[in-house]
Amino acid sequence: MSNSPDPTILSDPSIPPDDSSRNLVLARSNDENLPHIGLVGDTYTILLAGKETAGRFCLIDMHIPPGGGPPPHRHDFEESFIILEGEIEATFRGVKSVARAGETVHIPANAPHQFQNKSDRSARLLCICSPAGQEDFFAQVGVPVATRTTAPPKLDEKAEAEFRAKAAALARHYKTELLQHA
């Protein structure tokens, strides 16, 4: 046996070397130490933040109860939803589509969109945003909750107005625009 490198494996000088300062991350959605964020009636668990992916993307486990989902918006980053359980109605540039468990929805950067759970049972989505940053927006405007499925507190009229003002004030910083229609 020879210890010499396999000549069939060629190195590619255009690929940077391994960054040994970055580590494997094993994220478990039900881990109580992960950030679970209550926002617009939904609960978002940050599985991977930009700090774990060198800013390339973030991964969010979304629990969307019946009637849940964000208001119309657009943002300057790519966003994909993998539906794990249930279904959502996605509105993209004014056109509605239903996506069910096992299906994926991709939203190109800057396109008006929203989604809602119009069914009578909760939906569960994995959301990938590229590049990362959306997880920071959610952490800034949402409220910490205990678990992946803990509902955020109901907001009274005053708290709802404060939430909307805070979201609107922070949206631009996170390359997001809140809209009247998707």
Side-chain angles (χ1 to χ4, degrees):
M1 282 196 175
S2 169
N3 287 340
S4 61
D6 183 341
T8 62
I9 300 175
L10 304 175
S11 84
D12 183 341
S14 69
I15 299 174
D18 178 23
D19 180 353
S20 62
S21 70
R22 297 185 62 205
N23 296 309
L24 177 119
V25 177
L26 177 59
R28 294 184 171 98
S29 296
N30 292 322
D31 182 341
E32 63 188 39
N33 295 314
L34 286 176
H36 304 288
I37 301 166
L39 186 63
V40 297
D42 306 336
T43 303
Y44 302 160
T45 299
I46 310 305
L47 298 175
L48 295 172
K51 65 185 177 198
E52 286 97 23
T53 68
R56 293 175 185 222
F57 69 96
C58 66
L59 179 64
I60 303 165
D61 187 329
M62 297 180 153
H63 175 79
I64 314 297
H73 63 283
R74 65 187 201 106
H75 38 65
D76 191 23
F77 53 84
E78 302 285 308
E79 185 173 42
S80 296
F81 300 99
I82 299 118
I83 294 82
L84 300 178
E85 299 170 5
E87 65 182 47
I88 59 166
E89 180 183 271
T91 304
F92 175 77
R93 296 182 184 141
V95 177
K96 295 179 187 295
S97 302
V98 174
R100 294 176 177 83
E103 298 177 337
T104 298
V105 174
H106 176 73
I107 309 295
N110 303 307
H113 66 283
Q114 76 176 108
F115 67 84
Q116 292 182 303
N117 180 352
K118 299 235 175 171
S119 76
D120 60 356
R121 60 176 228 185
S122 292
R124 183 176 184 192
L125 323 174
L126 284 180
C127 174
I128 302 167
C129 298
S130 178
Q134 185 69 356
E135 76 279 19
D136 295 328
F137 179 60
F138 290 158
Q140 290 287 317
V141 298
V143 296
V145 295
T147 71
R148 183 186 74 72
T149 59
T150 301
K154 298 280 186 207
L155 302 178
D156 61 25
E157 194 173 306
K158 180 182 179 208
E160 178 73 24
E162 290 170 354
F163 164 78
R164 288 181 187 278
K166 184 176 185 180
L170 289 170
R172 183 177 203 147
H173 177 74
Y174 291 99
K175 300 181 179 183
T176 298
E177 182 180 14
L178 305 176
L179 305 170
Q180 293 295 318
H181 307 284

